[in-house]
Amino acid sequence: MRGRRTRSAALLASLLAGAALAAPTFAATAPATDFRQRPPEAEVIYFLLPDRFENGDASNDRGGLSGDRLSTGYDPTDTGFFHGGDFAGLTQRLDYIQGLGATAVWVAPIFQNKPVQGPPGRESAAYHGYWITDFTRVDDHFGDNAAFARFVDAAHARGIKVYMDIVANHTADVIQYRDCARRGCSYRSQGDYPYSRRGGVDGAPINDGFDGVDFSRLTRPDYAYDAYVPEGERDVKVPAWLNDPIYYHNRGDSDWWGESNLDGDFSGLDDLFTENPRVVQGFIDIYGAWIDRFGIDGFRIDTARHVDPAFWRAFIPAMRERAAARGIPNFHIFGEAAETDPALLAGFTRSDRYPAVLDFAFQKTVRDVVAGTEPPEKLALLFRADVLYEGGEATAMQLPTFVGNHDQGRFGYQIVSARPDISDEELLARQTLGHAMMMFLRGTPVIYYGDEQGFTGDGDDRRSRQDMFATQTPGYAADRIIGQRAGPFDTNATLYRRLGDMARLRIATPSLVSGLQTVRQAGKAPGLFVVSRRVPGDTGETLIAFNTSTAPASAHIVVDARSSRWASLHGQCADQVAAPGSLAVSVPALDYIICRSEAVR
């Protein structure tokens, strides 16, 4: 449903005037031969689900399977089933991705999945890629390993990096328990069901050789539940060792707190025993082989917080060593830990030794500030916590920042949720402002596919995973579009052009990539949030001023006293300081300006 137009004509004129200030056009990316020399923070990442991007080969829509949708997983009218996107289609659309200014493509898991899971009447398909059975090959719905290789090679030829989404926490739901109904097994703790007893503290002794430290000495998996693999699925997982229940915790469904966060089944998915050295080495071999074979450039790690830290302390260095041996010096690894407290996020870079984590704290803060439910001061508080990350501000610049994704919903939906009566014009302005914060503040920006086409969505999870190609899903077809859009893959769409301009401006301005960030002003009510960014050793600085208010905002901003002459990179900037150390800025409603000092006295 379209939003009602409730704002005044003056506000509308201000918004449209601000929107008309297009950023200049800059050269796109570094030459393809140099792409691997770019550090992680130099990327503009484009995140997509292959099934929902482009269908280049209709012959694989059903993944080589026959029968109805519960057998093949294919139903393009249902949000929870495969829609036909594949690597042939993705490869065909690399022009579109490069035209947006993206320098890296992050793809949701591509491995062979169990096509359909769920209780009768509530089944859904593995179009998202997180129900893996075979970790060594591409899912038949997406093509094959050769199709993936062609995609990677084509991307690399353009200087575009490829990041894979990987999973080490769980596999598809295959293991069952004789003690309870499928997906009805509550979590059984180590205290109540120790490894040394079968069926509880009063049960018969088992695993006599287990010393409580070396989990490879466990010989029986029935300490909590009597786990087994159904006859028809005994060999479904690849590599073959994954079919043995001894390599899983088998303690029942996680209840999402305490010990069960690490050892519980993730909504019924088989939870891997990542403390076992065989599992650690097994996944080093699995994912190292993808680096060796395809020369990929990074990993986003799913459900990272649900795996014990010792696993990551072994796995991550092994992957970086494998990548370096393959000639990939800047292999980017970032984990998913859905925490909005930056102190908790920073902990994963210390205890788990993650080089970076997805910046959920940034996402929440930008959402609230741009929606107008929190003041700009919240951003200043967020960035004060950057020192907590291992490596401090340098690590913070490598944190992938985002405003919406496939789990939380799109940024447009979040804004509409906070402001249900928002007009189309104001929604476009706030959508633009949020993406500008993502693109120009510290961190490595991640564009969620479809945001550049103005997709809003009407919820989280599957309701935010629209088709980029012509959709057959009624809910997706009725989506509220932000800005103007003529049809699928419209390179003249309002937000495609705006995000493309942002990406090119960022790439062309070193201080917007690697400049250390200083907060200059952050109000206690909707209004100005201003930072300066400077590359250590360089002269001059870049000032970015955002206005979260529905009225124009002006102020004198502290700058380096040596910065005297200024130029506009976006919007209108004063060309001279008002006085040494003070620059006058004026920012239209719900807009931003970027100013660059040209001379230092």
Side-chain angles (χ1 to χ4, degrees), residues 517-540:
Q517 180 173 285
T518 301
V519 175
R520 297 296 194 184
Q521 182 162 318
K524 293 188 176 182
L528 289 177
F529 178 69
V530 187
V531 303
S532 66
R533 299 192 64 182
R534 168 177 284 169
V535 177
D538 285 1
T539 59

Side-chain angles (χ1 to χ4, degrees), residues 51-52 55 58 61-62 67-70 72-85 125 127 141 462 465-477:
D51 178 66
R52 302 298 165 88
N55 191 346
D61 288 354
R62 291 169 175 78
D68 63 12
R69 71 177 198 160
L70 297 184
T72 68
Y74 178 70
D75 181 355
T77 69
D78 191 311
T79 60
F81 283 76
F82 284 98
H83 287 188
Y127 69 92
H141 291 85
R462 65 176 65 176
R465 301 171 182 178
Q466 297 95 320
D467 301 316
M468 284 287 285
F469 50 92
T471 188
Q472 299 179 51
T473 307
Y476 293 165

Side-chain angles (χ1 to χ4, degrees), residues 32-344:
T33 53
D34 300 330
F35 76 99
R36 281 194 164 136
Q37 301 306 314
R38 297 195 305 259
E41 65 270 21
E43 310 302 338
V44 175
I45 304 170
Y46 187 74
F47 169 46
L48 60 89
L49 281 69
D51 178 66
R52 302 298 165 88
F53 195 69
E54 177 65 299
N55 191 346
D57 183 0
S59 70
N60 59 34
D61 288 354
R62 291 169 175 78
L65 303 169
S66 59
D68 63 12
R69 71 177 198 160
L70 297 184
S71 299
T72 68
Y74 178 70
D75 181 355
T77 69
D78 191 311
T79 60
F81 283 76
F82 284 98
H83 287 188
D86 50 37
F87 279 109
L90 179 52
T91 304
Q92 293 167 12
R93 292 294 183 180
L94 282 171
D95 274 348
Y96 171 88
I97 294 172
Q98 190 166 36
L100 183 61
T103 64
V105 177
W106 155 21
V107 292
I110 66 173
F111 314 102
Q112 184 68 39
N113 272 232
K114 190 173 186 177
V116 177
Q117 290 186 175
R122 295 172 55 196
E123 301 93 345
S124 60
Y127 69 92
H128 43 65
Y130 293 103
W131 301 342
I132 303 167
T133 54
D134 187 342
F135 288 82
T136 67
R137 66 186 182 93
V138 169
D139 192 286
D140 293 326
H141 291 85
F142 303 151
D144 55 20
N145 285 11
F148 179 63
R150 287 191 291 272
F151 161 66
V152 175
D153 290 346
H156 284 172
R158 297 167 177 265
I160 297 175
K161 295 181 180 180
V162 175
Y163 295 164
M164 294 179 69
D165 202 318
I166 67 170
V167 185
N169 176 65
H170 58 263
T171 70
D173 183 8
V174 173
I175 295 173
Q176 298 186 36
Y177 306 135
R178 292 188 175 90
D179 316 57
C180 60
R182 187 169 187 153
R183 290 206 177 189
C185 307
S186 60
Y187 184 77
R188 290 181 170 176
S189 71
Q190 294 181 33
D192 290 330
Y193 293 85
Y195 295 110
S196 60
R197 294 288 188 272
R198 185 181 188 276
V201 293
D202 297 325
I206 59 172
N207 294 316
D208 291 339
F210 177 54
D211 60 2
V213 177
D214 182 0
F215 289 94
S216 67
R217 299 177 69 175
L218 286 176
T219 58
R220 291 181 58 167
D222 53 346
Y223 34 80
Y225 284 105
D226 189 0
Y228 73 99
V229 177
E231 182 68 31
E233 296 182 298
R234 288 191 174 177
D235 299 314
V236 72
K237 295 180 184 179
V238 180
W241 62 267
L242 288 165
N243 294 297
D244 190 339
I246 198 69
Y247 298 121
Y248 300 84
H249 284 118
N250 305 314
R251 290 189 172 275
D253 286 347
S254 175
D255 49 24
W256 313 116
W257 68 278
E259 175 191 303
S260 77
N261 256 328
L262 293 178
D263 295 353
D265 293 343
F266 193 104
S267 300
L269 299 169
D270 301 346
D271 192 71
L272 284 151
F273 208 130
T274 49
E275 301 95 319
N276 190 311
R278 178 69 182 88
V279 176
V280 177
Q281 188 57 51
F283 275 96
I284 288 173
D285 294 341
I286 286 169
Y287 291 124
W290 284 90
I291 298 172
D292 294 344
R293 294 169 64 190
F294 300 99
I296 56 169
D297 306 285
F299 288 149
R300 177 268 193 183
I301 301 180
D302 177 67
T303 51
R305 64 175 299 173
H306 300 292
V307 176
D308 68 292
F311 176 91
W312 300 125
R313 291 197 291 267
F315 179 85
I316 290 171
M319 293 302 97
R320 301 183 95 174
E321 289 174 12
R322 200 78 163 250
R326 183 66 162 76
I328 308 168
N330 291 303
F331 196 80
H332 198 184
I333 297 178
F334 49 99
E336 178 207 27
E339 293 284 359
T340 58
D341 183 337
L344 294 177

